[in-house]
Amino acid sequence: MINKTDIFPGFLNAHQDKQFVELYSNEKFARIYHEMILQDKLPDIDYFLSELKDDGQILEIGSGTGRVMSRLLDAGFDIYGIEPSRQMIDKMSSNQLRDRVFEVGVDDITFAIKKLNNLKTIIIPATTISLFSSDTLNRFLEALPDNVEIHFDYMTADFFVDMDRKVSVYHSADGEKLFYVNFIVGNKVVYNITDGNVIAFSDKYLYTYKMLSDLFSKNHINLQVTMEQKNRYQMLRGTKNV
C-alpha cells in the first residue's frame, strides 16, 4: 500500500483518484528518468575514463541500462555490474553488456564478488548510493574485500535543501509535459514525477559528507573528495585497508 508521505502534497491534492507507482518498476517512468539523467550530463563518465586504472576487474553497482558500463567497456576496461531490475537490463544495447551484469541487488554483493577473480575497483555512479540506507550501505562495505578501491558520487544535502518542494517542468523526448519535485521527509528525499494521470515516486537517503565519511571510516575506508561542483555534487574515492 502506498505511503502518503511518498507523495508530494501538491500532487496528491490534484490527483486524489490517480495511480501511484514506484519509479524504477514502471517502464514508462523509468525510461523518462533515464532520459532526464542523460540530459543532465553528469560528469561521472568523464571522471571514470580519466581516473580509473585498467589493472583489473571493475564492478559497477546499479548498472541501469548500461549508460556508464557501455562507455567503459568501449574504452577497454574489464567491467561488470549488478542491477536488480530486469527491465533495466533488458534495455541495455547489446548482449555483450547484458552478459556482464549480475541480476542482484547491493545486499547480494558477495555473490558478484565471488564471481570475479581479479576485482580491483568498485564504482557507484549516478548518485545511486543515495538509494541505500545506512544499514544497507554498512553491510555492503563490510562485504568488500581488502585493497579494493571505491569511487562514488552523490548530491549534497545542501542541494536537496535548496531544491526542497520546488516543482519543475520537463518535456520528454516524445513531447509529453511532466512535473517533478524533490521534497525532504525526515532523513529521506522523496522524488515524484507525474504526467497528470500517474504519480511515480522513489526514496533517496539524505547524506552529508560527514555521515558518509564516518560510515566508511568505520569500515576501514578513508574517503577523499576527488571532484566537486558548486557545493551540490561530489565524487569521492577510498580504498579498504583493514
Side-chain angles (χ1 to χ4, degrees), residues 144-169:
L144 294 186
D146 294 350
N147 301 315
V148 166
E149 188 172 74
I150 183 170
H151 300 252
F152 69 93
D153 58 357
Y154 77 108
M155 305 304 295
T156 67
D158 287 343
F159 167 78
F160 286 116
V161 169
D162 289 342
M163 296 300 295
D164 187 31
R165 300 179 178 269
K166 294 180 181 177
V167 178
S168 300
V169 178

Side-chain angles (χ1 to χ4, degrees), residues 57-70:
Q57 294 166 326
I58 299 169
L59 181 63
E60 178 188 24
I61 309 302
S63 295
T65 60
R67 177 183 67 92
V68 174
M69 178 181 281
S70 61

Side-chain angles (χ1 to χ4, degrees), residues 60-174:
E60 178 188 24
I61 309 302
S63 295
T65 60
R67 177 183 67 92
V68 174
M69 178 181 281
S70 61
R71 290 286 302 279
L72 295 187
L73 193 60
D74 287 345
F77 290 96
D78 188 15
I79 183 169
Y80 295 81
I82 66 169
E83 172 53 55
S85 170
R86 187 71 237 176
Q87 287 181 323
M88 291 290 189
I89 296 173
D90 288 343
K91 289 183 181 300
M92 289 184 170
S93 59
S94 69
N95 286 332
Q96 183 185 25
L97 290 176
R98 286 186 282 271
D99 290 345
R100 286 176 166 266
V101 177
F102 305 105
E103 191 179 343
V104 297
V106 70
D107 280 323
D108 297 311
I109 186 65
T110 53
F111 173 85
I113 290 174
K114 289 178 181 178
K115 293 289 184 178
L116 303 177
N117 58 17
N118 190 28
L119 179 61
K120 297 291 187 179
T121 307
I122 287 179
I123 61 172
I124 313 178
T127 69
T128 298
I129 201 164
S130 297
L131 296 175
F132 308 145
S133 69
S134 58
D135 288 341
T136 297
L137 186 53
N138 187 65
R139 290 193 298 271
F140 163 73
L141 295 174
E142 287 178 340
L144 294 186
D146 294 350
N147 301 315
V148 166
E149 188 172 74
I150 183 170
H151 300 252
F152 69 93
D153 58 357
Y154 77 108
M155 305 304 295
T156 67
D158 287 343
F159 167 78
F160 286 116
V161 169
D162 289 342
M163 296 300 295
D164 187 31
R165 300 179 178 269
K166 294 180 181 177
V167 178
S168 300
V169 178
Y170 177 74
H171 295 276
S172 69
D174 57 10

Side-chain angles (χ1 to χ4, degrees), residues 9-22:
F11 290 174
L12 183 63
N13 294 337
H15 305 282
Q16 290 182 1
D17 299 323
K18 303 304 180 183
Q19 182 182 1
F20 307 111
V21 297
E22 201 281 326

